[in-house]
Amino acid sequence: MELEKTYNPKKAEETHYRVWEERGYFAPEINENKDAEPFSIIIPPPNVTGNLHMGHALQHTLMDVLTRWKRMSGFKTLFLVGVDHAGISTQLMVTRQLKKDEHKTPQDIGREAFTEKVWEWKHKYGGEIQRQIRREGLSVDWSRERFTMDESLSRAVREVFVRLYEEGNIYRGNRIVNWCPRDKTVLSDLEVKEEKAKDGKLYYLKYPVKKSPPYEGGVAAVSADGVVETGETKFIVVATTRPETMLGDTAVAVNPEDERYNDLIGQTVELPLTDREIPIIADEYVESDFGTGAVKITPAHDANDYEVGLRHDLPQLNVMNKDATMTETAGKEFAGLDRFAARQLVVEKFEELGLLEKIDDYDVTLPHCERCKTVIEPLLSLQWFVKMDEMRDLALDMMRKERSPRFFPQVPHEKIYTTWLNSLKDWTISRQLWWGHQIPAWYDDAGNVFVARTAQEAFEKAGTSDLVQDADVLDTWFSSALWSFSTLGWTGESVPSAVADGLSGSFESLTATLQPPATAGGTDKSSDLETFHPTSVLVTGRDIIFLWVSRMVMTALKFVGEKPFDDVIIHGTVLDKNGQRMSKTKMNGIDPLDVFEKFGVDATRMALAGSATGVDFAWRDEKVESFRNFANKIWNATRFCLMNSEGASVDHSSVMFGKDASIADRWILSRLNRTALNVNKALAGYQFHEAVQLLYHFFWDDFCDWYIELVKDEITAEDASEKRTEARTRIITTLEIALRLLHPFMPFLTEELWQKLPGISSDLHHNSYRSADKTIMLTSFPPGDTSAIDEQAESEMRAVIELISKVRNIRAEMNIKPSDKISLLVSANEKLQKIFAENEAQILKLAKASEIKLAEKADSPKASARAVLTGGAELAIPLEGLIDFEKEMERLENQVTKLEEENSRLENQLKNQNFVERAPPEKVREIRERVAEIETQSATLKQNLDALR
RNA sequence: GCCGACUUAGCUCAGUGGUAGAGCACUCGCUUCACACGCGAUAGGUCACAAGUUCAAAUCUUGUAGUCGGCACCA
């Protein structure tokens, strides 16, 4: 069997996933060890409308690496997958399609028909993200796939809603909320993004003060104190960025300490463009040095004004409709006008009346709808809210007492998370949409509200079935907040035994909030909850720490009585090659699927995992390309081993040998185990890039560049022999172990190659997976064996590598043709001579030399190129006729210079009495040893130089 | 306004007290029988700037500049 010369990832990517999935390798049930420790990850559910982007590819890769690593390490592993119903996005998408296909609006067809359409849409097109997840190679358990609107998850949503309501933590109230006039729904603070307005203006409006003579036109003069006098008419000037809201003003406020306005407090102004008279009030909220120090108060259209209004018992005049057109209340001339048209008209009218004092350019940041970018309108509206105080305290206690969750990187996320929790406000949870979990509240004719888990329950509570359910749905993040436990079967009916039994000590504040189990015992589903909750680690982006991570912590603590996850990995953002955020509007996004096509999934995974955890990084195709090359390197190394595998098979006893084995074998085994130990360590600390670097360099540098080359002759020997078979077995076994180490990162390539190795079977599987058909993904992940670390072999191999490298250097610098064989004269102590002698064949081959002469002090002709080696050894290459004496002298001089520079730096250190006294003794010793080594080497080099002169 | 991160080779990035690292690009040499997606050999950095702590600072502290991010305010 011979492999193609170049690895083409297509075939592997098309075949193995299906097999893995079909054979159930992804499900935790594959683990036959009933005592296996669980490991679980839940995927941050992508939107059902979503397409894979680089952020997904990154976080998915990290999760899959961890899952595959843990699975291979014998854990009972669950990687739970699911999608989010994504209320607004999905509703918008289907609305658009409805308009396009049938020229209808959702209102035209009605709620029931519309939601049915959305379900249809979901069944038809909603599977894209799942296909893409399969393409990525994620070892997720599809048998447990969840959707936030599954019946069991919806039950959990209703249960949580009802419980919070019954406790008084969910309430319905009139508040100033963030209203998106385009999506026509309320949004939570987190779904609003502040953005700089392009041409912000601050308008100064003059309100005539009553009790002064009526204003009769004319240009007003501004006095320094902000009160304007024209003739006898007094004005108070207010500054605003939203003039149209003046139509809903119900007061003008000044700071009580502000002397300019002291005498006006208690008076009234005649509100222009209306027939209303509004009071001038004093409130601490007003800052005297901003604007004119006088503020128009519009309680129904501004959060601060709302508060002021409550304090002063002001009327709340709503002048704006849900689509941001003006209401009748705004006046006949304005009713029906869009808010921006109304703004213009108000300004014009003020100007006509001579009441517009001035317009300043003004940098304002305005709230925008995160999704549709429309300017948010603060609006007084009746909505459902969650009081967060109690749950916030649970989360804060958890952080304070147990430092949980552990964030990676801890800085700055732990602090950001804590700070945010500390200033948490009530959460607006109702949404004016049809797609989502309809709020489980029913109303009777009298407007009484009945909150219940089901309509039936509501009817019972109300004593009538003549009820209407609340039309709104819940914020999508409400169901996402329950994701850690709702996906594992929690519906509020069963509670894990740990909770039912009462909490063991450490977290007393929870006890009070726990509900007794509604029904005794658990369901089948709840065993997942017991086994896999809390989940092991959450991998997500920093943009949803508040939206999602914190809320999962709060709801899990409150409703399950335990944290939702131990660790939270916050990965970085993938930027474009110019360091800009990828966005649809900038058209600078890179489609992971294109990258998969071009370089393969495994190379992409390596490139993503190879970027430091938590750090933003600019996307570079070149990086993936280098891992594509790496994949090809692995392919070809395997190709080489397979071409020379006759008689051999994977046999782990072949790499259990003693000190009598060859240096190369002992060395590669030592390197392999060192790599395995370090990779495990790196993964345990979520240092993915560290693991990638270790694997890359082990495989390429150690295994390919040195080990294969060192044992090549033995392996490719023409005549079959026991020795050859043993060497072949050793290399193929080493390769097999290396492939396992690579598997979590490069699942397709490693499976493809592993399946081709001679002698593989499910006997190689981890003990927990012996019954499964052979696959690399169920072999045991090499833990690394400290006893296989062979310092002596590593140091001896360093000497061999140094010798070969020095020869190559001389060859390159002296322009010796590859075809020219040379002689090596090596002066060295007995120990080194022995090492070189044992590796003579390899040294000759790799240095392209015809002979090597070893001696305590070798005689070398003057016409030689020379180098010094560690341990007092010298290398001379006789180059009669070939040597360029000038060049050789220059070469030697350069080396002397380098050594002397280093020497003087070290000598200075040693001269410093403080260093010698205070630095750790071993540090001082190291430097003394190094100085001695340098002195030997440079003395030798100088002798050589003298000999040339 | 408050908080935070970052600034290291041409580029993208590791490294966080003890002699500056990788990949790519560059230069030179190789159709060496696994791989030119390759092999071999070089070159390239006063680790943003300034002060301080220390025997020793790219690494710790403070300040400055630039870049980016989060939060708040925004009449």
Side-chain angles (χ1 to χ4, degrees):
Chain A
M1 161 179 46
E2 192 172 316
L3 305 184
E4 297 287 317
K5 220 170 167 180
T6 306
Y7 173 51
N8 174 4
K10 279 282 157 49
K11 192 194 144 221
E13 287 169 13
E14 278 161 12
T15 50
H16 300 302
Y17 195 89
R18 197 171 33 80
V19 175
W20 293 332
E21 187 182 343
E22 279 171 10
R23 295 187 182 166
Y25 296 161
F26 299 153
E29 286 76 16
I30 195 75
N31 194 311
E32 298 155 26
N33 173 11
K34 63 177 180 1
D35 298 323
E37 209 180 311
F39 176 84
S40 53
I41 293 187
I42 45 171
I43 205 166
N47 290 354
V48 62
T49 54
N51 269 294
L52 199 69
H53 62 244
M54 270 303 165
H56 291 128
L58 171 60
Q59 68 175 213
H60 291 178
T61 297
L62 303 186
M63 288 186 284
D64 197 47
V65 166
L66 289 174
T67 304
R68 287 179 183 270
W69 169 55
K70 286 291 185 180
R71 184 184 295 111
M72 290 172 76
S73 302
F75 286 73
K76 181 170 184 158
T77 308
L78 172 63
F79 185 178
L80 191 138
V81 70
V83 286
D84 193 293
H85 66 278
I88 299 180
S89 306
T90 313
Q91 174 147 350
L92 280 178
M93 182 161 294
V94 178
T95 301
R96 263 202 300 273
Q97 192 175 322
L98 186 66
K99 179 141 200 172
K100 197 173 142 224
D101 295 351
E102 305 176 31
H103 307 286
K104 282 180 183 161
T105 67
Q107 286 69 33
D108 291 340
I109 65 173
R111 181 174 197 136
E112 208 170 313
F114 180 77
T115 45
E116 217 160 275
K117 279 251 181 270
V118 185
W119 279 108
E120 261 172 46
W121 182 92
K122 190 219 167 219
H123 291 128
K124 208 163 163 190
Y125 304 107
E128 191 53 31
I129 193 82
Q130 285 93 329
R131 278 188 287 280
Q132 293 170 338
I133 286 171
R134 287 183 165 88
R135 181 95 170 83
E136 292 179 289
L138 295 210
S139 58
V140 295
D141 180 8
W142 292 105
S143 73
R144 283 176 173 79
E145 187 188 350
R146 297 286 182 264
F147 180 53
T148 44
M149 283 176 59
D150 284 348
E151 178 47 31
S152 71
L153 276 74
S154 300
R155 271 171 71 196
V157 164
R158 293 193 296 269
E159 181 69 26
V160 165
F161 187 98
V162 171
R163 285 198 200 170
L164 286 172
Y165 177 81
E166 286 171 353
E167 293 168 6
N169 280 322
I170 279 184
Y171 65 94
R172 192 170 184 236
N174 244 321
R175 294 276 181 284
I176 295 281
V177 295
N178 306 299
W179 184 266
C180 175
R182 181 158 159 195
D183 295 341
K184 296 191 187 57
T185 178
V186 65
L187 299 171
S188 73
D189 294 346
L190 291 173
E191 291 160 293
V192 170
K193 293 284 163 252
E194 299 290 336
E195 274 168 41
K196 272 213 168 60
K198 279 189 278 297
D199 42 8
K201 298 271 190 275
L202 192 57
Y203 303 85
Y204 289 76
L205 308 179
K206 301 193 315 190
Y207 292 178
V209 179
K210 211 183 168 187
K211 286 191 188 167
S212 60
Y215 173 62
E216 285 163 4
V219 177
V222 194
S223 69
D225 63 4
V227 180
V228 179
E229 303 195 25
T230 310
E232 311 245 337
T233 312
K234 269 190 167 180
F235 295 95
I236 189 161
V237 181
V238 295
T240 180
T241 53
R242 295 187 297 151
E244 70 280 11
T245 62
M246 63 77 51
L247 298 166
D249 282 3
T250 52
V252 172
V254 298
N255 190 289
E257 307 289 313
D258 194 336
E259 286 169 12
R260 294 174 295 182
Y261 299 114
N262 258 343
D263 56 331
L264 293 179
I265 296 168
Q267 298 193 35
T268 57
V269 299
E270 289 168 357
L271 189 63
L273 313 185
T274 71
D275 52 9
R276 289 184 292 116
E277 199 174 298
I278 60 175
I280 297 171
I281 59 171
D283 196 285
E284 297 286 351
Y285 153 71
V286 181
E287 284 174 40
S288 299
D289 38 7
F290 186 91
T292 61
V295 185
K296 58 189 275 309
I297 300 296
T298 323
H301 294 280
D302 181 278
N304 287 311
D305 292 6
Y306 175 79
E307 296 296 328
V308 174
L310 289 185
R311 284 198 286 275
H312 297 270
D313 212 14
L314 299 173
Q316 299 161 343
L317 279 190
N318 199 331
V319 292
M320 226 178 269
N321 293 310
K322 303 287 179 179
D323 59 356
T325 59
M326 308 307 285
T327 59
E328 294 289 333
T329 315
K332 279 212 172 57
E333 287 173 288
F334 297 97
L337 276 186
D338 177 75
R339 55 184 163 167
F340 298 118
R343 175 175 303 175
Q344 206 178 339
L345 188 58
V346 166
V347 173
E348 279 168 20
K349 294 267 179 197
F350 266 75
E351 189 151 32
E352 279 170 25
L353 294 169
L355 294 175
L356 178 66
E357 185 179 294
K358 60 172 174 174
I359 305 174
D360 281 354
D361 286 337
Y362 183 64
D363 280 341
V364 260
T365 52
L366 294 176
H368 287 76
C369 172
E370 182 186 43
R371 211 156 294 280
C372 75
K373 312 298 175 201
T374 305
V375 176
I376 291 297
E377 198 59 43
L379 218 62
L380 186 63
S381 173
L382 185 61
Q383 301 290 344
W384 289 93
F385 300 88
V386 185
K387 273 189 206 157
M388 302 305 290
D389 308 37
E390 182 195 331
M391 285 191 278
R392 173 201 59 212
D393 291 344
L394 293 178
L396 284 171
D397 275 358
M398 194 67 181
M399 181 52 85
R400 198 167 49 240
K401 292 180 181 155
E402 301 186 24
R403 206 92 190 265
S404 170
R406 292 197 301 167
F407 281 95
F408 293 83
Q410 190 189 61
V411 177
H413 301 111
E414 183 179 304
K415 194 176 165 190
I416 293 176
Y417 166 86
T418 312
T419 309
W420 181 80
L421 279 178
N422 271 316
S423 59
L424 190 53
K425 291 187 217 149
D426 290 0
W427 174 14
T428 318
I429 49 167
S430 42
R431 293 290 179 277
Q432 286 63 52
L433 300 170
W434 283 347
W435 177 240
H437 302 96
Q438 194 167 352
I439 291 178
W442 284 260
Y443 306 96
D444 65 13
D445 286 345
N448 294 310
V449 60
F450 303 94
V451 169
R453 290 161 185 82
T454 59
Q456 193 53 44
E457 197 182 312
F459 297 159
E460 282 162 21
K461 281 186 178 174
T464 169
S465 61
D466 194 13
L467 300 178
V468 179
Q469 187 171 3
D470 195 298
D472 291 350
V473 300
L474 288 165
D475 182 2
T476 301
W477 294 103
F478 191 91
S479 51
S480 313
L482 319 180
W483 188 248
S484 85
F485 52 93
S486 64
T487 52
L488 294 173
W490 186 94
T491 54
E493 287 171 10
S494 61
V495 177
S497 50
V499 177
D501 297 347
L503 271 192
S504 44
S506 69
F507 206 27
E508 64 276 30
S509 64
L510 268 176
T511 325
T513 72
L514 290 172
Q515 305 277 331
T519 56
T523 62
D524 281 354
K525 295 282 184 186
S526 83
S527 71
D528 267 1
L529 190 64
E530 277 184 55
T531 309
F532 296 114
H533 199 278
T535 60
S536 309
V537 53
L538 183 78
V539 182
T540 193
R542 69 174 77 86
D543 53 333
I544 55 174
I545 294 178
F546 306 148
L547 276 168
W548 193 50
V549 178
S550 66
R551 286 167 178 169
M552 278 202 288
V553 174
M554 291 187 276
T555 58
L557 289 174
K558 168 120 177 115
F559 293 97
V560 190
E562 59 187 22
K563 59 192 172 182
F565 28 71
D566 298 322
D567 298 342
V568 178
I569 297 174
I570 303 294
H571 63 251
T573 309
V574 189
L575 307 170
D576 76 358
K577 65 179 192 306
N578 301 314
Q580 301 285 309
R581 279 169 172 279
M582 292 185 187
S583 74
K584 278 178 193 156
T585 44
K586 282 190 211 151
M587 303 281 285
N588 63 345
I590 289 164
D591 187 346
L593 298 168
D594 292 343
V595 183
F596 293 164
E597 278 304 302
K598 203 165 166 191
F599 299 111
V601 174
D602 289 332
T604 314
R605 289 169 59 117
M606 281 293 267
L608 290 166
S611 304
T613 311
V615 179
D616 294 353
F617 59 97
W619 180 262
R620 319 219 78 226
D621 262 7
E622 290 90 329
K623 182 159 186 166
V624 199
E625 195 177 350
S626 77
F627 284 110
R628 188 271 317 263
N629 296 350
F630 180 55
N632 193 51
K633 190 74 181 173
I634 298 168
W635 176 265
N636 272 289
T638 308
R639 179 172 183 253
F640 169 77
C641 292
L642 290 176
M643 284 165 76
N644 300 288
S645 64
E646 198 186 310
S649 63
V650 173
D651 175 5
H652 283 243
S653 68
S654 73
V655 292
M656 292 189 278
F657 41 67
K659 293 278 181 196
D660 52 336
S662 77
I663 293 175
D665 286 329
R666 282 159 52 213
W667 173 77
I668 197 65
L669 184 68
S670 181
R671 296 293 309 151
L672 178 67
N673 278 282
R674 197 185 281 281
T675 304
L677 284 164
N678 289 335
V679 166
N680 277 287
K681 198 172 144 200
L683 287 177
Y686 306 128
Q687 299 296 301
F688 299 93
H689 63 293
E690 176 83 23
V692 167
Q693 287 305 308
L694 287 163
L695 292 166
Y696 185 91
H697 291 294
F698 168 75
F699 201 91
W700 202 311
D701 301 348
D702 295 342
F703 186 72
C704 292
D705 286 350
W706 290 104
Y707 187 66
I708 289 185
E709 297 304 331
L710 288 165
V711 301
K712 196 174 244 179
D713 283 344
E714 213 173 352
I715 282 171
T716 56
E718 294 221 357
D719 300 326
S721 69
E722 200 176 313
K723 199 167 159 249
R724 190 186 76 172
T725 304
E726 283 171 3
R728 289 179 167 189
T729 297
R730 279 194 299 272
I731 197 170
I732 219 153
T733 305
T734 307
L735 172 68
E736 196 263 347
I737 297 169
L739 289 177
R740 295 186 190 190
L741 286 170
L742 287 160
H743 179 261
F745 297 87
M746 311 182 86
F748 294 112
L749 170 68
T750 50
E751 179 76 308
E752 179 74 13
L753 294 175
W754 190 83
Q755 294 287 352
K756 295 182 194 301
L757 299 181
I760 48 126
S761 73
S762 43
D763 291 347
L764 294 172
H765 285 184
H766 187 281
N767 274 333
S768 301
Y769 311 112
R770 283 293 155 79
S771 311
D773 281 330
K774 64 181 178 185
T775 170
I776 190 171
M777 66 170 280
L778 299 177
T779 61
S780 65
F781 193 82
D785 176 3
T786 13
S787 72
I789 302 254
D790 188 337
E791 299 287 358
Q792 194 194 338
E794 292 201 27
S795 119
E796 291 179 3
M797 187 51 72
R798 267 197 297 277
V800 172
I801 288 174
E802 187 190 25
L803 174 63
I804 294 169
S805 297
K806 296 273 181 179
V807 177
R808 284 171 171 173
N809 175 276
I810 289 172
R811 293 192 67 112
E813 297 205 355
M814 289 296 168
N815 293 317
I816 298 166
K817 286 191 206 126
S819 52
D820 287 345
K821 295 284 180 181
I822 51 175
S823 299
L824 310 179
L825 304 178
V826 178
S827 310
N829 62 31
E830 256 179 59
K831 204 179 128 212
L832 278 170
Q833 283 190 50
K834 183 167 170 282
I835 295 167
F836 295 146
E838 279 175 19
N839 292 280
E840 182 177 335
Q842 288 89 336
I843 292 168
L844 293 181
K845 180 177 155 78
L846 299 182
K848 298 184 193 305
S850 53
E851 59 170 347
I852 178 167
K853 284 183 189 155
L854 298 164
E856 186 72 34
K857 190 74 198 157
D859 281 330
S860 55
K862 183 185 171 192
S864 296
R866 293 164 203 280
V868 287
L869 305 172
T870 308
E874 290 176 53
L875 162 69
I877 302 176
L879 291 173
E880 196 61 59
L882 286 171
I883 196 158
D884 177 338
F885 283 98
E886 286 296 315
K887 198 165 182 181
E888 173 66 3
M889 276 162 62
E890 197 189 316
R891 224 173 51 83
L892 295 178
E893 269 161 9
N894 282 344
Q895 289 175 45
V896 172
T897 312
K898 253 186 206 167
L899 287 174
E900 280 178 347
E901 277 168 11
E902 189 185 347
N903 198 37
S904 76
R905 195 176 57 242
L906 298 179
E907 287 284 10
N908 279 339
Q909 248 181 305
L910 288 175
K911 267 188 226 149
N912 184 339
Q913 211 45 44
N914 283 326
F915 171 72
V916 180
E917 282 164 16
R918 300 199 202 180
E922 68 270 19
K923 204 83 238 165
V924 179
R925 204 195 59 224
E926 262 174 42
I927 290 190
R928 292 219 162 99
E929 282 170 7
R930 180 63 192 151
V931 166
E933 175 76 37
I934 289 172
E935 275 164 4
T936 316
Q937 293 197 351
S938 74
T940 311
L941 285 167
K942 279 177 189 159
Q943 269 178 19
N944 293 343
L945 262 172
D946 287 343
L948 288 177
R949 288 198 172 104

